[in-house]
Amino acid sequence: MRIVFATSEANPYIKSGGLADVLGSLPKALVQKGHECIVVLPKYQDMKLADTLEYVTNYDIWVGWRKCYCGVFKAEYDGVTYYFIDNEQYFRRPGLYGYDDDNERFAYFDFAVLELLSHIDIKPDILHLHDWQTAMIATLYKERYAYYEYYQGIKIVFTIHNIAYQGKCDPALLSDHFGLDNYLYYNGNCRNDGCFNMMKAAIYYSDIITTVSPTYAQEILTDSFGEGLQNILQMRRHDLYGILNGIDYETINPATDPEIVEHFDITNVDEKKVINKLALQKECGLPENKDVPLIGIVTRLTWQKGLDLIINRMEELMKRDVQVVILGAGDQKYEEPLKGIAAYHNQKLSLNLKYDFGLSCRIYAGCDMFLMPSLFEPCGLSQMMSLRYGTIPIVRETGGLKDSVEPYDEYKNTGDGFSFKNYNAHEMMDIIDYALKVYQDKEKWQGLVHRAMEAKLDWDKSADAYLKVFNSLLD
């Protein structure tokens, strides 16, 4: 089948978060299974590999009452065809998001994706949309484009990567940006909580809705996690599927990673991982000691990621025989207290307030444990990367963390990580203490590390699950 993915970011060209990782890996996995995959995304100023793009064509499109230029560029990577929508007014600026006119920018992109299908004749069997930036493609298709002969028969799949970001805006933009009648707002199709809600519209109009883990698919049906969309999701619950994301085992591989000091695999992890640990301790200014447990944290410093729990228990954690490396940046209310703790405990805590891909790889490779106590986590990729590198995750049982980490059972000698249920600092500290206790038994710990590296969290199984959903629509 032919699958067209519409997305605001995709590896290896542009990335701000996990969405880019998914759109860099899922199409590649589907191509390997014999399907044609096309990814459409904006041509940003900060794109990588820009010199590999090939000009295709240009034409004008209408965005509400605006007549806009639309240029098209093309590239191929790992068997996947990428098309880039070029408009310097909207996309020739630093970064991806955070501008006052983001709603207009992605309204333009939504029209551009639909027009692209007919202009270069790439009508898909499945049009796969991702998050609020492409959500209105579903509405535009069902309310306008589906009536044209060329567009008939396309099936729409919408994936929710994070329901907290919904594309909420003024109801007037429904007609101003999208040229659609206001009755779609007043009849509730595009209205939620007193505003125009793009994600609500996509949930209403799409043929299938997916999200990025089975547990998260159940969580967003509740008042606690639904972010106001739980009612419409309950209505569509029979069309809602949770499919766990994977990671690309070819690029995320401790046996070939150019960013780490010593390559290793499951056959020599017991001897080689400690070399990475000592190198990481030296790089981060911590005492070099192969026996002290080293805990890594790679995260955005935001409320979602469990920073309240971490800061609440950090002083207590510093009383243990342990070292901690933190990499990330974010809200000042979390950065400032961490700075104070790191200054006082500079022999135990290394705080790196930045984004550094190379250092993140060395943390995955060199640490013994990886702490990820998220308040909510649709899927999460960091825990999968830590498993791949033989670093044992300590997670809260939510979303994809629950689906990808099997809790350690000392009686059956099974599991590849540690987890706690409630969003509670004392529970988190208790499970960290338990992990530190197990760490002292080297035989048990080596078994954990080996099971972690044996965990199969690549895209093969997930790609099959997506194909099953796609085929259910076509059948």
Side-chain angles (χ1 to χ4, degrees):
M1 71 182 78
R2 175 184 284 167
I3 308 151
V4 171
F5 299 83
T7 177
S8 58
E9 56 184 271
N11 269 340
Y13 296 100
I14 192 77
K15 174 180 176 177
S16 73
L19 173 61
D21 294 317
V22 174
L23 270 297
S25 300
L26 174 58
K28 174 182 172 182
L30 293 172
V31 164
Q32 291 172 350
K33 292 179 180 293
H35 301 278
E36 180 185 359
C37 291
I38 297 168
V39 179
V40 185
L41 68 158
K43 184 176 181 290
Y44 295 103
Q45 174 180 299
D46 296 336
M47 273 182 43
K48 298 177 181 177
L49 306 177
D51 57 336
T52 65
L53 272 56
E54 171 191 345
Y55 172 77
V56 178
T57 186
N58 74 84
Y59 43 85
D60 292 329
I61 63 174
W62 288 93
V63 181
W65 51 268
R66 304 161 186 80
K67 187 177 182 181
C68 301
Y69 168 86
C70 181
V72 180
F73 287 76
K74 178 182 178 181
E76 291 197 11
Y77 192 89
D78 283 338
V80 180
T81 302
Y82 292 82
Y83 286 101
F84 303 86
I85 302 299
D86 178 39
N87 183 295
E88 295 193 353
Q89 175 186 345
Y90 291 127
F91 301 121
R92 188 174 176 81
R93 56 181 86 175
L96 282 70
Y97 319 119
Y99 291 95
D100 291 340
D101 63 343
D102 274 359
N103 293 323
E104 183 180 333
R105 295 169 70 216
F106 289 103
Y108 162 83
F109 179 65
D110 292 350
F111 276 106
V113 170
L114 287 164
E115 291 291 335
L116 177 72
L117 303 182
S118 59
H119 272 88
I120 62 173
D121 193 18
I122 54 167
K123 179 182 177 180
D125 300 296
I126 301 291
L127 182 53
H128 193 178
L129 317 178
H130 296 266
D131 271 354
W132 75 265
Q133 293 92 344
T134 59
M136 285 301 290
I137 292 175
T139 308
L140 290 169
Y141 175 77
K142 292 291 180 71
E143 290 290 344
R144 180 182 296 181
Y145 285 83
Y147 295 99
Y148 296 102
E149 183 178 356
Y150 177 85
Y151 288 88
Q152 290 175 5
I154 298 173
K155 300 299 182 181
I156 305 291
V157 176
F158 177 65
T159 295
I160 301 170
H161 293 263
N162 191 334
I163 202 169
Y165 303 97
Q166 301 175 3
K168 299 177 181 179
C169 54
D170 190 314
L173 301 188
L174 185 61
S175 58
D176 185 84
H177 288 0
F178 297 97
L180 295 171
D181 197 286
N182 284 332
Y183 85 89
L184 298 177
Y185 175 79
Y186 292 111
N187 70 7
N189 292 6
C190 302
R191 184 184 76 241
N192 197 69
D193 197 25
C195 65
F196 169 27
N197 188 305
M198 298 183 194
M199 186 173 283
K200 159 75 179 291
I203 294 168
Y204 181 84
Y205 282 101
S206 297
D207 297 301
I208 289 288
I209 306 102
T210 72
T211 190
V212 291
S213 69
T215 296
Y216 192 60
Q218 296 304 309
E219 288 176 341
I220 60 176
L221 297 175
T222 67
D223 293 346
S224 299
F225 292 92
E227 297 288 341
L229 295 178
Q230 59 271 20
N231 292 333
I232 182 67
L233 286 166
Q234 283 284 357
M235 289 174 56
R236 298 296 311 275
R237 64 187 181 276
H238 299 299
D239 300 315
L240 174 65
Y241 297 84
I243 301 174
L244 186 68
N245 285 342
I247 56 174
D248 188 337
Y249 271 36
E250 292 182 16
T251 57
I252 302 170
N253 186 354
T256 59
D257 190 342
E259 301 290 346
I260 68 176
V261 173
E262 186 76 18
H263 292 154
F264 62 92
D265 57 30
I266 196 169
T267 64
N268 57 18
V269 60
D270 300 331
E271 301 81 31
K272 297 292 183 71
K273 188 172 174 65
V274 68
I275 300 173
N276 288 287
K277 178 177 181 177
L278 294 170
L280 178 63
Q281 289 171 326
K282 182 177 181 180
E283 179 179 359
C284 294
L286 297 171
E288 295 177 49
N289 185 337
K290 66 182 180 66
D291 295 318
V292 66
L294 181 57
I295 300 175
I297 300 171
V298 179
T299 185
R300 287 180 288 113
L301 303 183
T302 65
W303 60 279
Q304 175 199 340
K305 299 297 184 179
L307 267 295
D308 296 293
L309 303 188
I310 292 170
I311 291 172
N312 184 283
R313 293 290 98 183
M314 187 59 76
E315 281 290 352
E316 184 176 345
L317 182 59
M318 292 294 98
K319 296 176 183 177
R320 312 295 196 266
D321 182 21
V322 69
Q323 294 175 349
V324 179
V325 177
I326 299 176
L327 172 64
D331 297 345
Q332 188 175 5
K333 73 173 185 176
Y334 298 122
E335 289 189 1
E336 292 305 318
L338 286 173
K339 286 179 183 177
I341 298 170
Y344 188 75
H345 298 284
N346 57 17
Q347 295 299 293
K348 286 193 165 190
L349 174 60
S350 172
L351 180 63
N352 306 272
L353 296 175
K354 58 182 178 180
Y355 294 108
D356 185 328
F357 175 74
L359 179 55
S360 72
C361 294
R362 293 188 287 278
I363 289 173
Y364 292 128
C367 286
D368 300 297
M369 307 167 200
F370 188 87
L371 181 59
M372 200 170 175
S374 301
L375 174 62
F376 66 92
E377 195 68 57
C379 178
L381 299 177
S382 294
Q383 81 281 6
M384 298 184 190
M385 295 178 190
S386 72
L387 288 166
R388 179 73 166 137
Y389 284 79
T391 297
I392 305 305
I394 302 172
V395 302
R396 192 176 90 80
E397 295 174 6
T398 183
L401 300 181
K402 182 177 180 180
D403 294 325
S404 58
V405 177
E406 181 185 354
Y408 173 64
D409 186 329
E410 63 180 281
Y411 303 105
K412 297 180 180 179
N413 197 30
T414 58
D416 51 26
F418 298 88
S419 64
F420 62 102
K421 185 173 183 179
N422 298 304
Y423 191 71
N424 181 288
H426 298 286
E427 280 194 34
M428 182 190 75
M429 196 65 228
D430 287 345
I431 201 66
I432 291 174
D433 283 336
Y434 179 49
L436 294 175
K437 177 184 175 183
V438 175
Y439 178 81
Q440 301 306 316
D441 188 324
K442 294 304 179 186
E443 184 177 343
K444 290 182 177 178
W445 193 260
Q446 286 178 0
L448 264 169
V449 170
H450 282 243
R451 287 193 295 276
M453 296 192 72
E454 289 170 347
K456 190 68 170 174
L457 293 169
D458 64 3
W459 273 102
D460 186 62
K461 184 177 179 181
S462 302
D464 285 338
Y466 273 107
L467 287 174
K468 185 176 180 180
V469 169
F470 296 160
N471 281 317
S472 72
L473 290 173
L474 300 180
D475 291 343

